[in-house]
Amino acid sequence: MSKFTDGLGSGLWSASKKKDVTHSTAQPVSQDVLLAAAKADISGEATGFPTADSNCPQFVVWPSDRRLTKYEDKKQGDSLAVIYRGEITKNARECKIAPGEISVKYGVAGRVLLGPKGGTDTVQLPIIIHVTDRDRKKISTQRFAIPVNVSRENPIGYFSVVKELSFKIPQGVRPLDYKLYVAFEQNVS
């Protein structure tokens, strides 16, 4: 059974632990599901999918870095100099837990909005994933770029990506003691 987070790790879906998950609305982590959810979202808030089982590490969108705005050189903060703005709007994860190891299949989705100085381009969105232990010490990091096509004719582009990572856990440590964070890597050219 898939395990999903509600995006911020608390709230309506994760507050209750259900013994019977047969009525769960959880879906497997897939690019198509995430992309459809990102396209349907108009709130602009980063949210995840309902939790089927909360035995998987939380997967959290880092609030201050869920958006990335690219400006023309030396015009940071000028709204008329925006080339594009990316937003992470959806996240999900599912786990395979084995003795001494956790494998997490995670997904991220969102959109890119073309700014006044944007043109026809493939935008490369720099993503970073950190895994922390119960002491909030980083134990693993993944970096990658997500390509998104935007143009004057199509100024909104959507993205979704699904990846997997595995990490070791010592005996006696719970999977819930770990947390995955996703964010746009800031200040990357």
Side-chain angles (χ1 to χ4, degrees), residues 19-133:
K19 297 273 186 203
D20 176 17
V21 293
T22 56
H23 297 94
S24 172
T25 57
Q27 299 178 33
V29 175
S30 76
Q31 282 187 271
D32 293 339
V33 169
L34 283 163
L35 190 59
K39 287 180 178 181
D41 178 36
I42 58 170
S43 71
E45 295 299 316
T47 59
F49 290 88
T51 302
D53 180 4
S54 59
N55 199 27
C56 193
Q58 267 186 331
F59 185 36
V60 180
V61 178
W62 198 257
S64 62
D65 292 330
R66 71 178 198 84
R67 290 189 177 106
L68 175 69
T69 304
K70 176 79 172 169
Y71 296 94
E72 287 185 310
D73 287 338
K74 300 179 183 178
K75 294 190 177 183
Q76 299 301 98
D78 180 352
S79 62
L80 296 177
V82 173
I83 298 170
Y84 65 84
R85 182 177 189 172
E87 296 178 296
I88 297 171
T89 61
K90 298 292 177 193
N91 64 303
R93 54 64 168 126
E94 58 187 34
C95 299
K96 293 178 188 167
I97 301 171
E101 184 175 80
I102 300 174
S103 293
V104 181
K105 181 180 176 183
Y106 64 88
V108 177
R111 63 180 159 240
V112 174
L113 308 170
L114 197 62
K117 295 298 179 177
T120 301
D121 204 1
T122 298
V123 174
Q124 297 290 331
L125 299 174
I127 299 287
I128 188 165
I129 306 286
H130 289 296
V131 179
T132 62
D133 64 12

